[in-house]
Amino acid sequence: MDRKLVVNAHIAIARGHRIEVTERVDELTGESGILSVLDLESGIRYRSVEAPDSEILHWTGRVVDCTVVIGGRGSHTSLTVTADSERGGSAGARVALHAADAAVDAAKAEADRWGGGDRLPEPEPDRFW
């Protein structure tokens, strides 16, 4: 599974290099943020200055494409990574599960509002002629 990582830093990693990504995942919102990227081929670690205050996930993958945008306020790096199958994309899965839980809660609330589909129909009243 390919993942697109956008980092507000200049990170030049060659295509084909294996990397290890460390992400923090906020349990309440399900949002994730990149704490560090380790180039396993060259040994260079790119690390954020923010301290992790939530759950930390590690996963590895191989760089498919790396684009470094320089100059101006929008300078950043965009990495396309093919995640390893055993652990790759676990943060994305956690976010998807969080969104699925929210969708289930919304569906339950809507079913409660409409009366649900598990009620038996009311019996017809007796007819008098």
Side-chain angles (χ1 to χ4, degrees):
M1 171 176 88
D2 284 353
R3 292 193 60 195
K4 183 82 135 185
L5 304 176
V6 179
V7 184
N8 290 328
H10 299 282
I11 299 175
I13 299 177
R15 182 181 305 163
H17 278 209
R18 293 195 63 240
I19 62 171
E20 179 184 80
V21 178
T22 304
E23 289 182 290
R24 66 169 171 75
V25 177
D26 187 356
E27 291 293 328
L28 298 175
T29 63
E31 295 179 2
S32 65
I34 297 173
L35 293 175
S36 70
V37 176
L38 171 63
D39 185 347
L40 297 172
E41 308 292 328
S42 67
I44 298 173
R45 179 182 304 273
Y46 302 93
R47 197 176 129 248
S48 173
V49 293
E50 63 183 88
D53 56 349
S54 56
E55 184 178 351
I56 296 175
L57 298 170
H58 299 280
W59 56 275
T60 58
R62 189 167 300 278
V63 175
V64 176
D65 184 47
C66 178
T67 303
V68 180
V69 178
I70 58 175
R73 294 185 337 159
S75 61
H76 63 277
T77 300
S78 175
L79 290 169
T80 304
V81 179
T82 300
D84 291 345
S85 60
E86 69 268 4
R87 294 278 311 252
S90 58
R94 183 173 303 278
V95 170
L97 285 174
H98 179 71
D101 287 341
V104 166
D105 291 339
K108 285 180 181 178
E110 191 68 17
D112 289 342
R113 189 177 81 115
W114 286 94
D118 58 346
R119 294 189 308 171
L120 296 174
E122 292 183 20
E124 291 186 23
D126 292 334
R127 295 186 185 178
F128 294 102
W129 297 93

